[in-house]
Structure formats: structure tokens, C-alpha cells
Amino acid sequence: MTNARGPGSETLEETTGSDACVCSIGNTVEHYVTGILGLVATLVVGVQAYPWFQSVAGTTAYLGSTWLVFSFATVWLVCWIALELAWEWRAGRIHLL
């Protein structure tokens, strides 16, 4: 619970619920491990899907390489978030439903 001064010198109290859905990450090592695992998953998926990515990127002459980089970054981010949520759910620190 933190106190803050509002307009007119009134005190505002900010409470945090104990049943919040999103919890803070307890250990940064877990965060880094899920990021690295997400990168490895992205590389595995990227190697398999590279011919398709290249054929789609080849249709636009100027933005082909930008599209490839954006696609791989997006896949990495999605994998990272999915692994992070799965890790936190498995540890019992987050309740998804």
C-alpha cells in the first residue's frame, strides 16, 4: 500500500490486490532462460520456414529484408512470451483463467 498526495492535499491510497492475475517476475535468470529458449525455438522454426519467408519477401523488391527481420523478431517475441507464461503458470505464480 502506498500513499500519494492528490490535488488539494488529499491523501490517495493505492492498494494492490493479492489475487492479481499478473505477478512480477521473481527471478531474472528465469526470464533470460525463457528468452534464450524462445530464440532457439525461433531459429528451429526459421530454418524450416525460411524458403516460405524468402518467397513471400521476394514479392516486394524494396522491403524484402525488412520483412524477414520483422518476421523473425515477431516469431521470437511470440515464442518468448508463450514460454514465459508457461513457465510462470507451471511455477504457480500466475493464474491464466
Side-chain angles (χ1 to χ4, degrees):
M1 180 184 303
T2 59
N3 291 332
R5 293 296 229 168
S9 72
E10 59 191 35
T11 304
L12 302 173
E13 291 189 13
E14 184 179 319
T15 60
T16 57
S18 62
D19 58 345
C21 290
V22 179
C23 304
S24 64
I25 297 171
N27 192 354
T28 56
V29 174
E30 294 173 359
H31 185 66
Y32 296 141
V33 167
T34 55
I36 291 170
L37 289 175
L39 181 62
V40 169
T42 301
L43 291 175
V44 168
V45 169
V47 166
Q48 299 295 323
Y50 185 73
W52 180 79
F53 281 138
Q54 192 174 18
S55 66
V56 172
T59 59
T60 59
Y62 297 110
L63 297 176
S65 60
T66 303
W67 191 86
L68 281 174
V69 171
F70 181 76
S71 298
F72 279 107
T74 303
V75 170
W76 181 29
L77 184 63
V78 168
C79 287
W80 190 349
I81 290 171
L83 286 169
E84 187 82 27
L85 285 174
W87 188 305
E88 294 295 318
W89 174 75
R90 181 77 173 135
R93 293 185 290 249
I94 190 170
H95 305 285
L96 298 176
L97 296 176

Coordinates of all heavy atoms in Angstrom, one line a residue:
M1 N 0.8 -1.2 0.0 CA 0.0 0.0 0.0 C 0.9 1.2 0.0 O 1.8 1.3 0.8 CB -0.9 0.0 1.2 CG -1.8 1.1 1.3 SD -2.8 1.2 2.8 CE -3.6 -0.3 2.8
T2 N 0.7 2.2 -0.9 CA 1.4 3.4 -0.9 C 0.5 4.6 -0.8 O -0.6 4.5 -1.3 CB 2.2 3.5 -2.3 OG1 1.3 3.4 -3.3 CG2 3.2 2.4 -2.4
N3 N 1.0 5.6 -0.2 CA 0.2 6.8 -0.1 C 0.8 7.9 -1.1 O 2.0 8.0 -1.3 CB 0.3 7.4 1.3 CG -0.4 6.5 2.3 OD1 -1.4 5.9 2.0 ND2 0.0 6.5 3.6
A4 N -0.1 8.6 -1.7 CA 0.3 9.7 -2.6 C -0.6 10.9 -2.3 O -1.7 10.8 -1.8 CB 0.1 9.2 -4.0
R5 N 0.0 12.1 -2.6 CA -0.7 13.3 -2.4 C -1.5 13.6 -3.7 O -0.9 13.7 -4.8 CB 0.3 14.5 -2.1 CG 1.0 14.3 -0.8 CD 0.0 14.4 0.3 NE 0.4 15.3 1.3 CZ -0.4 15.7 2.3 NH1 -1.6 15.3 2.3 NH2 0.0 16.6 3.2
G6 N -2.8 13.8 -3.6 CA -3.6 14.2 -4.7 C -3.8 15.7 -4.7 O -3.2 16.4 -3.9
P7 N -4.6 16.2 -5.6 CA -4.9 17.6 -5.7 C -5.6 18.1 -4.5 O -6.5 17.4 -3.9 CB -5.7 17.8 -7.0 CG -6.2 16.4 -7.3 CD -5.3 15.4 -6.7
G8 N -5.3 19.2 -4.0 CA -6.0 19.8 -2.8 C -5.5 19.1 -1.5 O -6.2 19.1 -0.5
S9 N -4.3 18.6 -1.5 CA -3.6 17.9 -0.3 C -4.5 16.8 0.3 O -4.4 16.5 1.5 CB -3.3 19.0 0.7 OG -4.5 19.4 1.4
E10 N -5.3 16.1 -0.6 CA -6.0 14.9 -0.1 C -5.1 13.7 -0.3 O -4.3 13.6 -1.2 CB -7.3 14.8 -0.8 CG -7.2 14.6 -2.3 CD -8.5 14.7 -3.0 OE1 -9.4 15.5 -2.5 OE2 -8.7 14.0 -4.0
T11 N -5.2 12.8 0.6 CA -4.3 11.6 0.5 C -5.0 10.5 -0.3 O -6.2 10.2 0.0 CB -4.0 11.1 1.9 OG1 -3.4 12.1 2.7 CG2 -3.1 9.9 1.9
L12 N -4.3 9.9 -1.3 CA -4.9 8.9 -2.1 C -4.1 7.6 -1.7 O -2.9 7.6 -1.5 CB -4.6 9.1 -3.6 CG -5.2 10.4 -4.1 CD1 -4.7 10.6 -5.6 CD2 -6.7 10.3 -4.1
E13 N -4.9 6.5 -1.5 CA -4.3 5.3 -1.1 C -4.4 4.3 -2.3 O -5.5 4.1 -2.9 CB -4.9 4.7 0.1 CG -4.7 5.4 1.3 CD -5.1 4.7 2.6 OE1 -5.5 3.5 2.5 OE2 -5.2 5.3 3.6
E14 N -3.3 3.7 -2.7 CA -3.2 2.8 -3.8 C -3.0 1.4 -3.2 O -2.0 1.1 -2.5 CB -2.1 3.1 -4.7 CG -2.0 2.3 -5.9 CD -0.9 2.7 -6.8 OE1 -0.6 3.9 -7.0 OE2 -0.2 1.9 -7.3
T15 N -4.0 0.5 -3.5 CA -3.8 -0.8 -2.9 C -3.6 -1.8 -4.0 O -4.0 -1.6 -5.2 CB -5.1 -1.3 -2.2 OG1 -6.2 -1.2 -3.1 CG2 -5.4 -0.3 -1.0
T16 N -2.8 -2.8 -3.7 CA -2.6 -3.9 -4.7 C -3.3 -5.1 -4.2 O -3.1 -5.6 -3.0 CB -1.1 -4.2 -4.8 OG1 -0.5 -4.5 -3.5 CG2 -0.3 -3.0 -5.3
G17 N -4.1 -5.7 -5.1 CA -4.8 -6.9 -4.7 C -3.9 -8.2 -4.6 O -3.0 -8.3 -5.4
S18 N -4.2 -9.0 -3.7 CA -3.4 -10.3 -3.6 C -3.8 -11.3 -4.6 O -3.0 -12.2 -4.9 CB -3.6 -10.9 -2.2 OG -5.0 -11.2 -2.0
D19 N -4.9 -11.1 -5.3 CA -5.3 -12.1 -6.3 C -5.1 -11.5 -7.7 O -5.9 -11.8 -8.6 CB -6.8 -12.4 -6.1 CG -7.7 -11.2 -6.2 OD1 -7.2 -10.1 -6.1 OD2 -8.9 -11.4 -6.3
A20 N -4.1 -10.7 -7.9 CA -3.8 -10.1 -9.2 C -3.4 -11.2 -10.2 O -2.8 -12.2 -9.9 CB -2.7 -9.1 -9.1
C21 N -3.8 -11.0 -11.5 CA -3.5 -12.1 -12.5 C -2.1 -12.0 -12.9 O -1.5 -13.1 -13.3 CB -4.5 -11.9 -13.7 SG -6.2 -12.3 -13.3
V22 N -1.5 -10.9 -13.0 CA -0.1 -10.8 -13.5 C 0.8 -10.5 -12.3 O 0.6 -9.5 -11.6 CB 0.0 -9.7 -14.6 CG1 1.4 -9.5 -15.0 CG2 -0.9 -9.9 -15.7
C23 N 1.7 -11.4 -12.1 CA 2.7 -11.2 -11.0 C 4.0 -10.8 -11.5 O 4.3 -11.0 -12.7 CB 2.8 -12.5 -10.2 SG 1.3 -13.2 -9.6
S24 N 4.8 -10.1 -10.7 CA 6.1 -9.7 -11.1 C 7.0 -11.0 -11.2 O 6.8 -12.0 -10.5 CB 6.7 -8.8 -10.1 OG 6.9 -9.4 -8.9
I25 N 8.0 -10.9 -12.0 CA 8.9 -12.0 -12.2 C 9.8 -12.1 -11.0 O 10.5 -11.1 -10.6 CB 9.8 -11.8 -13.5 CG1 8.8 -11.7 -14.7 CG2 10.8 -12.9 -13.7 CD1 9.5 -11.3 -16.0
G26 N 9.9 -13.3 -10.4 CA 10.6 -13.5 -9.2 C 12.1 -13.6 -9.4 O 12.9 -13.1 -8.6
N27 N 12.5 -14.1 -10.6 CA 13.9 -14.4 -10.8 C 14.3 -14.0 -12.2 O 13.7 -14.4 -13.2 CB 14.2 -15.9 -10.5 CG 15.7 -16.2 -10.5 OD1 16.5 -15.3 -10.7 ND2 16.0 -17.4 -10.2
T28 N 15.3 -13.1 -12.4 CA 15.7 -12.7 -13.7 C 16.3 -13.8 -14.5 O 16.3 -13.8 -15.7 CB 16.6 -11.5 -13.6 OG1 17.8 -11.8 -12.8 CG2 16.0 -10.3 -13.0
V29 N 16.9 -14.8 -13.9 CA 17.5 -15.9 -14.6 C 16.4 -16.7 -15.4 O 16.7 -17.0 -16.5 CB 18.3 -16.8 -13.6 CG1 18.8 -18.1 -14.3 CG2 19.4 -16.1 -12.9
E30 N 15.3 -16.8 -14.8 CA 14.2 -17.5 -15.5 C 13.8 -16.7 -16.7 O 13.5 -17.3 -17.7 CB 13.0 -17.7 -14.5 CG 13.2 -18.6 -13.4 CD 12.1 -18.6 -12.4 OE1 11.1 -17.8 -12.6 OE2 12.2 -19.3 -11.4
H31 N 13.8 -15.4 -16.6 CA 13.4 -14.5 -17.7 C 14.4 -14.7 -18.8 O 14.0 -14.8 -20.0 CB 13.3 -13.1 -17.2 CG 12.9 -12.1 -18.2 ND1 11.6 -12.1 -18.7 CD2 13.5 -11.1 -18.8 CE1 11.5 -11.1 -19.6 NE2 12.6 -10.5 -19.7
Y32 N 15.7 -14.7 -18.5 CA 16.7 -14.8 -19.5 C 16.7 -16.2 -20.2 O 16.9 -16.4 -21.4 CB 18.1 -14.6 -18.9 CG 18.3 -13.1 -18.5 CD1 19.0 -12.9 -17.3 CD2 17.7 -12.1 -19.2 CE1 19.1 -11.6 -16.9 CE2 17.9 -10.8 -18.7 CZ 18.6 -10.5 -17.6 OH 18.8 -9.3 -17.1
V33 N 16.4 -17.3 -19.4 CA 16.4 -18.6 -19.9 C 15.2 -18.8 -20.9 O 15.4 -19.3 -22.0 CB 16.2 -19.6 -18.7 CG1 15.9 -21.0 -19.3 CG2 17.5 -19.7 -18.0
T34 N 14.1 -18.2 -20.5 CA 12.9 -18.3 -21.5 C 13.2 -17.5 -22.8 O 12.8 -17.9 -23.8 CB 11.6 -17.8 -20.8 OG1 11.8 -16.5 -20.3 CG2 11.2 -18.7 -19.7
G35 N 13.9 -16.4 -22.6 CA 14.3 -15.6 -23.8 C 15.2 -16.4 -24.7 O 15.1 -16.4 -26.0
I36 N 16.2 -17.1 -24.1 CA 17.1 -17.9 -24.9 C 16.4 -19.1 -25.6 O 16.6 -19.4 -26.7 CB 18.3 -18.3 -24.1 CG1 19.2 -17.1 -23.7 CG2 19.2 -19.4 -24.8 CD1 20.2 -17.4 -22.7
L37 N 15.5 -19.7 -24.8 CA 14.8 -20.8 -25.3 C 13.9 -20.4 -26.5 O 13.6 -21.1 -27.5 CB 14.0 -21.5 -24.2 CG 14.8 -22.3 -23.2 CD1 13.8 -22.9 -22.1 CD2 15.5 -23.5 -23.9
G38 N 13.3 -19.2 -26.3 CA 12.5 -18.6 -27.4 C 13.3 -18.3 -28.6 O 12.8 -18.5 -29.8
L39 N 14.5 -17.9 -28.5 CA 15.4 -17.7 -29.6 C 15.8 -19.0 -30.3 O 15.8 -19.1 -31.5 CB 16.7 -16.9 -29.2 CG 17.7 -16.6 -30.3 CD1 17.1 -15.7 -31.3 CD2 18.9 -16.0 -29.7
V40 N 16.0 -20.0 -29.5 CA 16.3 -21.3 -30.1 C 15.1 -21.8 -30.9 O 15.3 -22.4 -32.0 CB 16.8 -22.3 -29.0 CG1 16.8 -23.7 -29.5 CG2 18.1 -21.9 -28.4
A41 N 13.9 -21.7 -30.3 CA 12.7 -22.1 -31.0 C 12.5 -21.3 -32.3 O 12.1 -21.9 -33.3 CB 11.5 -22.0 -30.1
T42 N 12.8 -20.1 -32.2 CA 12.7 -19.2 -33.4 C 13.7 -19.7 -34.5 O 13.3 -19.7 -35.7 CB 13.0 -17.7 -33.1 OG1 12.0 -17.3 -32.1 CG2 12.9 -16.9 -34.3
L43 N 14.9 -20.0 -34.1 CA 15.9 -20.5 -35.1 C 15.4 -21.8 -35.7 O 15.6 -22.0 -36.9 CB 17.2 -20.6 -34.5 CG 17.9 -19.3 -34.1 CD1 19.2 -19.6 -33.3 CD2 18.2 -18.5 -35.3
V44 N 14.9 -22.7 -34.9 CA 14.4 -24.0 -35.4 C 13.2 -23.8 -36.4 O 13.2 -24.3 -37.5 CB 14.0 -24.9 -34.3 CG1 13.2 -26.2 -34.8 CG2 15.2 -25.4 -33.5
V45 N 12.3 -22.9 -36.0 CA 11.2 -22.7 -36.9 C 11.6 -21.9 -38.1 O 11.2 -22.1 -39.2 CB 10.1 -21.9 -36.1 CG1 9.0 -21.3 -37.1 CG2 9.4 -22.7 -35.1
G46 N 12.6 -21.0 -37.9 CA 13.0 -20.1 -39.0 C 13.8 -20.9 -40.1 O 13.7 -20.7 -41.3
V47 N 14.6 -21.9 -39.7 CA 15.3 -22.8 -40.6 C 14.3 -23.6 -41.5 O 14.4 -23.7 -42.7 CB 16.3 -23.7 -39.9 CG1 16.8 -24.8 -40.8 CG2 17.4 -22.9 -39.4
Q48 N 13.2 -24.1 -40.8 CA 12.2 -24.8 -41.5 C 11.4 -24.0 -42.4 O 11.0 -24.4 -43.5 CB 11.3 -25.6 -40.5 CG 12.0 -26.5 -39.6 CD 12.6 -27.7 -40.3 OE1 12.0 -28.2 -41.3 NE2 13.8 -28.1 -39.9
A49 N 11.1 -22.8 -42.0 CA 10.1 -21.9 -42.8 C 10.9 -20.9 -43.7 O 10.2 -20.1 -44.3 CB 9.2 -21.2 -41.8
Y50 N 12.2 -20.9 -43.7 CA 12.9 -19.9 -44.4 C 12.6 -19.9 -45.9 O 12.4 -18.8 -46.5 CB 14.4 -20.1 -44.3 CG 15.2 -19.0 -44.9 CD1 15.2 -17.7 -44.3 CD2 15.9 -19.2 -46.1 CE1 16.0 -16.7 -44.9 CE2 16.6 -18.1 -46.7 CZ 16.6 -16.9 -46.1 OH 17.3 -15.9 -46.7
P51 N 12.4 -21.0 -46.6 CA 12.1 -20.9 -48.0 C 10.7 -20.2 -48.2 O 10.6 -19.4 -49.2 CB 12.0 -22.3 -48.5 CG 12.9 -23.1 -47.5 CD 12.8 -22.4 -46.2
W52 N 9.8 -20.4 -47.4 CA 8.5 -19.7 -47.5 C 8.7 -18.2 -47.2 O 8.1 -17.4 -47.9 CB 7.5 -20.3 -46.5 CG 6.1 -19.7 -46.6 CD1 5.2 -19.9 -47.5 CD2 5.6 -18.7 -45.7 NE1 4.1 -19.0 -47.3 CE2 4.4 -18.3 -46.2 CE3 6.1 -18.0 -44.6 CZ2 3.6 -17.3 -45.6 CZ3 5.4 -17.1 -44.0 CH2 4.1 -16.7 -44.4
F53 N 9.4 -17.9 -46.1 CA 9.7 -16.5 -45.8 C 10.3 -15.8 -47.0 O 10.0 -14.7 -47.3 CB 10.6 -16.3 -44.6 CG 9.8 -16.5 -43.3 CD1 10.4 -17.2 -42.2 CD2 8.6 -15.9 -43.0 CE1 9.8 -17.4 -41.0 CE2 7.9 -16.1 -41.8 CZ 8.5 -16.8 -40.8
Q54 N 11.3 -16.5 -47.6 CA 12.0 -15.9 -48.7 C 11.2 -15.7 -49.9 O 11.3 -14.6 -50.6 CB 13.3 -16.7 -49.1 CG 14.2 -16.1 -50.0 CD 15.5 -16.9 -50.2 OE1 15.4 -18.1 -49.9 NE2 16.5 -16.3 -50.7
S55 N 10.3 -16.6 -50.2 CA 9.4 -16.4 -51.4 C 8.4 -15.3 -51.1 O 8.1 -14.6 -52.1 CB 8.7 -17.7 -51.7 OG 7.8 -18.0 -50.6
V56 N 7.9 -15.1 -49.9 CA 7.0 -14.0 -49.6 C 7.7 -12.7 -49.7 O 7.2 -11.7 -50.2 CB 6.3 -14.3 -48.3 CG1 5.5 -13.0 -47.9 CG2 5.4 -15.5 -48.3
A57 N 9.0 -12.7 -49.1 CA 9.7 -11.5 -49.1 C 10.2 -11.1 -50.5 O 10.4 -9.9 -50.8 CB 11.0 -11.6 -48.2
G58 N 10.3 -12.0 -51.4 CA 10.8 -11.7 -52.8 C 9.8 -11.0 -53.6 O 10.1 -10.4 -54.6
T59 N 8.5 -11.0 -53.2 CA 7.5 -10.3 -53.9 C 7.6 -8.8 -53.8 O 7.2 -8.1 -54.7 CB 6.1 -10.7 -53.5 OG1 5.9 -10.5 -52.1 CG2 5.9 -12.2 -53.7
T60 N 8.2 -8.3 -52.7 CA 8.4 -6.9 -52.6 C 9.9 -6.6 -52.7 O 10.7 -7.1 -51.9 CB 7.9 -6.4 -51.2 OG1 8.6 -7.1 -50.2 CG2 6.5 -6.6 -51.0
A61 N 10.3 -5.9 -53.7 CA 11.7 -5.7 -54.0 C 12.4 -4.8 -53.0 O 13.6 -5.1 -52.6 CB 11.8 -5.0 -55.4
Y62 N 11.7 -3.9 -52.4 CA 12.4 -2.9 -51.5 C 12.4 -3.3 -50.1 O 13.3 -3.0 -49.3 CB 11.8 -1.5 -51.7 CG 12.1 -1.0 -53.1 CD1 11.0 -0.8 -54.0 CD2 13.3 -0.6 -53.5 CE1 11.2 -0.3 -55.2 CE2 13.6 -0.2 -54.8 CZ 12.5 0.0 -55.6 OH 12.7 0.5 -56.9
L63 N 11.3 -3.9 -49.7 CA 11.1 -4.2 -48.2 C 11.3 -5.7 -47.9 O 10.9 -6.1 -46.8 CB 9.7 -3.8 -47.8 CG 9.4 -2.3 -47.9 CD1 7.9 -2.1 -47.6 CD2 10.3 -1.5 -47.0
G64 N 11.9 -6.5 -48.8 CA 12.1 -7.9 -48.5 C 12.9 -8.2 -47.3 O 12.5 -9.0 -46.4
S65 N 14.1 -7.6 -47.2 CA 14.9 -7.9 -46.0 C 14.3 -7.3 -44.7 O 14.4 -8.0 -43.7 CB 16.3 -7.3 -46.2 OG 16.2 -5.9 -46.4
T66 N 13.6 -6.2 -44.8 CA 12.9 -5.6 -43.6 C 11.8 -6.6 -43.2 O 11.7 -6.8 -42.0 CB 12.4 -4.3 -43.9 OG1 13.4 -3.4 -44.4 CG2 11.7 -3.6 -42.7
W67 N 11.1 -7.2 -44.1 CA 10.0 -8.1 -43.8 C 10.6 -9.3 -43.1 O 10.0 -9.9 -42.1 CB 9.3 -8.5 -45.0 CG 8.0 -9.2 -44.7 CD1 6.8 -8.7 -44.4 CD2 7.9 -10.6 -44.7 NE1 5.9 -9.7 -44.2 CE2 6.5 -10.9 -44.3 CE3 8.7 -11.7 -44.8 CZ2 6.0 -12.2 -44.2 CZ3 8.2 -13.0 -44.7 CH2 6.9 -13.2 -44.4
L68 N 11.7 -9.8 -43.6 CA 12.4 -11.0 -43.0 C 12.8 -10.7 -41.5 O 12.5 -11.5 -40.6 CB 13.6 -11.4 -43.8 CG 13.3 -12.2 -45.1 CD1 14.6 -12.4 -45.8 CD2 12.7 -13.6 -44.7
V69 N 13.4 -9.6 -41.3 CA 13.9 -9.3 -39.9 C 12.6 -9.1 -39.0 O 12.6 -9.6 -37.9 CB 14.7 -8.0 -40.0 CG1 15.0 -7.5 -38.6 CG2 16.0 -8.3 -40.7
F70 N 11.6 -8.4 -39.5 CA 10.4 -8.2 -38.7 C 9.7 -9.5 -38.4 O 9.3 -9.7 -37.3 CB 9.5 -7.2 -39.5 CG 8.2 -6.9 -38.7 CD1 8.2 -6.1 -37.6 CD2 7.0 -7.5 -39.0 CE1 7.1 -5.8 -36.9 CE2 5.9 -7.3 -38.4 CZ 5.9 -6.4 -37.3
S71 N 9.7 -10.4 -39.4 CA 9.0 -11.7 -39.2 C 9.8 -12.5 -38.1 O 9.1 -13.1 -37.2 CB 9.0 -12.5 -40.5 OG 8.2 -11.8 -41.4
F72 N 11.1 -12.6 -38.2 CA 11.8 -13.3 -37.2 C 11.8 -12.7 -35.8 O 11.7 -13.4 -34.8 CB 13.3 -13.5 -37.7 CG 13.5 -14.6 -38.7 CD1 13.7 -14.3 -40.0 CD2 13.4 -15.9 -38.3 CE1 13.9 -15.3 -40.9 CE2 13.6 -16.9 -39.2 CZ 13.8 -16.6 -40.5
A73 N 11.8 -11.4 -35.8 CA 11.6 -10.7 -34.4 C 10.3 -11.0 -33.8 O 10.1 -11.2 -32.6 CB 11.9 -9.2 -34.6
T74 N 9.2 -11.0 -34.7 CA 7.9 -11.3 -34.2 C 7.7 -12.7 -33.7 O 7.2 -12.9 -32.6 CB 6.9 -11.0 -35.3 OG1 7.0 -9.6 -35.7 CG2 5.5 -11.2 -34.8
V75 N 8.3 -13.6 -34.4 CA 8.2 -15.0 -34.0 C 9.0 -15.2 -32.7 O 8.5 -15.9 -31.8 CB 8.8 -16.0 -35.1 CG1 9.0 -17.4 -34.6 CG2 7.9 -15.9 -36.3
W76 N 10.1 -14.6 -32.6 CA 10.9 -14.7 -31.3 C 10.1 -14.1 -30.1 O 10.0 -14.7 -29.1 CB 12.3 -14.0 -31.5 CG 13.1 -14.1 -30.2 CD1 13.1 -15.1 -29.3 CD2 14.1 -13.1 -29.8 NE1 14.1 -14.8 -28.3 CE2 14.7 -13.6 -28.6 CE3 14.5 -11.9 -30.3 CZ2 15.7 -12.9 -28.0 CZ3 15.5 -11.2 -29.7 CH2 16.1 -11.7 -28.5
L77 N 9.5 -13.0 -30.3 CA 8.7 -12.4 -29.3 C 7.5 -13.2 -28.9 O 7.3 -13.4 -27.7 CB 8.2 -11.0 -29.7 CG 7.5 -10.2 -28.7 CD1 8.4 -9.8 -27.5 CD2 6.9 -8.9 -29.3
V78 N 6.8 -13.8 -29.8 CA 5.7 -14.7 -29.5 C 6.2 -15.9 -28.8 O 5.6 -16.3 -27.8 CB 4.9 -15.0 -30.8 CG1 3.9 -16.1 -30.6 CG2 4.2 -13.8 -31.3
C79 N 7.3 -16.5 -29.2 CA 7.8 -17.7 -28.5 C 8.2 -17.4 -27.1 O 8.0 -18.1 -26.2 CB 9.0 -18.3 -29.3 SG 8.6 -19.1 -30.8
W80 N 8.9 -16.2 -26.9 CA 9.4 -15.8 -25.6 C 8.2 -15.6 -24.7 O 8.2 -16.1 -23.5 CB 10.2 -14.5 -25.8 CG 10.9 -14.1 -24.6 CD1 10.8 -14.6 -23.3 CD2 12.0 -13.1 -24.5 NE1 11.7 -13.9 -22.5 CE2 12.4 -13.0 -23.2 CE3 12.5 -12.3 -25.5 CZ2 13.4 -12.2 -22.8 CZ3 13.5 -11.4 -25.1 CH2 13.9 -11.3 -23.7
I81 N 7.2 -14.9 -25.1 CA 6.0 -14.6 -24.3 C 5.3 -15.9 -23.9 O 4.9 -16.1 -22.8 CB 5.1 -13.6 -24.9 CG1 5.7 -12.2 -25.0 CG2 3.7 -13.6 -24.2 CD1 5.0 -11.2 -25.8
A82 N 5.2 -16.8 -24.9 CA 4.5 -18.1 -24.6 C 5.3 -18.9 -23.6 O 4.7 -19.5 -22.7 CB 4.3 -18.9 -25.9
L83 N 6.6 -19.0 -23.8 CA 7.4 -19.7 -22.8 C 7.4 -19.1 -21.4 O 7.4 -19.8 -20.4 CB 8.8 -19.9 -23.3 CG 9.0 -20.8 -24.5 CD1 10.4 -20.7 -25.1 CD2 8.8 -22.3 -24.0
E84 N 7.4 -17.8 -21.4 CA 7.4 -17.1 -20.1 C 6.1 -17.3 -19.4 O 6.1 -17.6 -18.2 CB 7.5 -15.6 -20.4 CG 7.7 -14.7 -19.1 CD 9.1 -14.7 -18.6 OE1 10.0 -14.9 -19.4 OE2 9.2 -14.5 -17.4
L85 N 5.0 -17.3 -20.1 CA 3.7 -17.6 -19.5 C 3.6 -19.0 -19.0 O 3.1 -19.3 -17.9 CB 2.5 -17.2 -20.4 CG 2.2 -15.8 -20.6 CD1 1.2 -15.6 -21.7 CD2 1.8 -15.1 -19.4
A86 N 4.1 -19.9 -19.8 CA 4.0 -21.3 -19.5 C 4.9 -21.6 -18.2 O 4.5 -22.3 -17.3 CB 4.5 -22.2 -20.6
W87 N 6.1 -21.0 -18.2 CA 7.0 -21.1 -17.0 C 6.3 -20.6 -15.7 O 6.3 -21.2 -14.7 CB 8.3 -20.4 -17.3 CG 9.4 -20.7 -16.3 CD1 9.3 -20.5 -14.9 CD2 10.7 -21.2 -16.5 NE1 10.5 -20.8 -14.3 CE2 11.3 -21.2 -15.3 CE3 11.4 -21.5 -17.7 CZ2 12.7 -21.6 -15.2 CZ3 12.7 -21.9 -17.5 CH2 13.3 -22.0 -16.3
E88 N 5.8 -19.4 -15.8 CA 5.1 -18.8 -14.6 C 3.9 -19.5 -14.2 O 3.6 -19.7 -13.0 CB 4.8 -17.3 -14.9 CG 6.0 -16.4 -15.1 CD 6.9 -16.3 -13.9 OE1 6.3 -16.2 -12.8 OE2 8.1 -16.4 -14.1
W89 N 3.1 -20.0 -15.2 CA 1.9 -20.8 -14.9 C 2.3 -22.1 -14.2 O 1.7 -22.6 -13.2 CB 1.1 -21.1 -16.1 CG 0.0 -22.0 -15.9 CD1 -1.2 -21.7 -15.3 CD2 -0.1 -23.4 -16.3 NE1 -2.0 -22.8 -15.3 CE2 -1.4 -23.8 -15.9 CE3 0.7 -24.2 -16.9 CZ2 -1.8 -25.1 -16.1 CZ3 0.3 -25.5 -17.2 CH2 -1.0 -26.0 -16.7
R90 N 3.4 -22.8 -14.7 CA 3.8 -24.1 -14.2 C 4.4 -23.9 -12.8 O 4.2 -24.7 -11.9 CB 4.9 -24.7 -15.1 CG 5.4 -26.0 -14.6 CD 4.4 -27.1 -15.0 NE 5.1 -28.3 -14.7 CZ 4.5 -29.3 -14.0 NH1 3.2 -29.2 -13.7 NH2 5.1 -30.4 -13.8
A91 N 5.0 -22.7 -12.5 CA 5.5 -22.4 -11.2 C 4.4 -22.0 -10.2 O 4.7 -21.9 -9.0 CB 6.6 -21.3 -11.2
G92 N 3.2 -21.7 -10.7 CA 2.1 -21.4 -9.8 C 2.1 -19.9 -9.5 O 1.4 -19.5 -8.5
R93 N 2.8 -19.1 -10.1 CA 2.9 -17.6 -9.8 C 1.9 -16.8 -10.7 O 1.8 -15.6 -10.5 CB 4.3 -17.1 -10.0 CG 5.3 -17.7 -9.0 CD 6.6 -17.0 -9.2 NE 7.2 -17.4 -10.4 CZ 8.3 -18.2 -10.5 NH1 8.9 -18.7 -9.4 NH2 8.9 -18.5 -11.6
I94 N 1.3 -17.5 -11.6 CA 0.3 -16.7 -12.5 C -0.9 -17.6 -12.7 O -0.7 -18.8 -12.9 CB 1.0 -16.3 -13.8 CG1 0.1 -15.3 -14.6 CG2 1.3 -17.5 -14.7 CD1 0.8 -14.7 -15.8
H95 N -2.0 -17.0 -12.8 CA -3.3 -17.8 -13.0 C -3.9 -17.2 -14.3 O -4.3 -16.1 -14.3 CB -4.2 -17.6 -11.8 CG -3.6 -18.0 -10.5 ND1 -3.4 -19.3 -10.2 CD2 -3.1 -17.3 -9.5 CE1 -2.8 -19.4 -9.0 NE2 -2.6 -18.2 -8.6
L96 N -3.9 -18.0 -15.3 CA -4.4 -17.5 -16.6 C -5.9 -17.5 -16.7 O -6.5 -16.7 -17.5 CB -3.8 -18.4 -17.7 CG -2.3 -18.4 -17.8 CD1 -1.8 -19.4 -18.8 CD2 -1.8 -17.0 -18.1
L97 N -6.6 -18.4 -16.0 CA -8.1 -18.4 -16.1 C -8.7 -18.0 -14.8 O -8.3 -18.3 -13.8 CB -8.6 -19.7 -16.6 CG -8.1 -20.1 -18.0 CD1 -8.6 -21.5 -18.3 CD2 -8.6 -19.2 -19.1

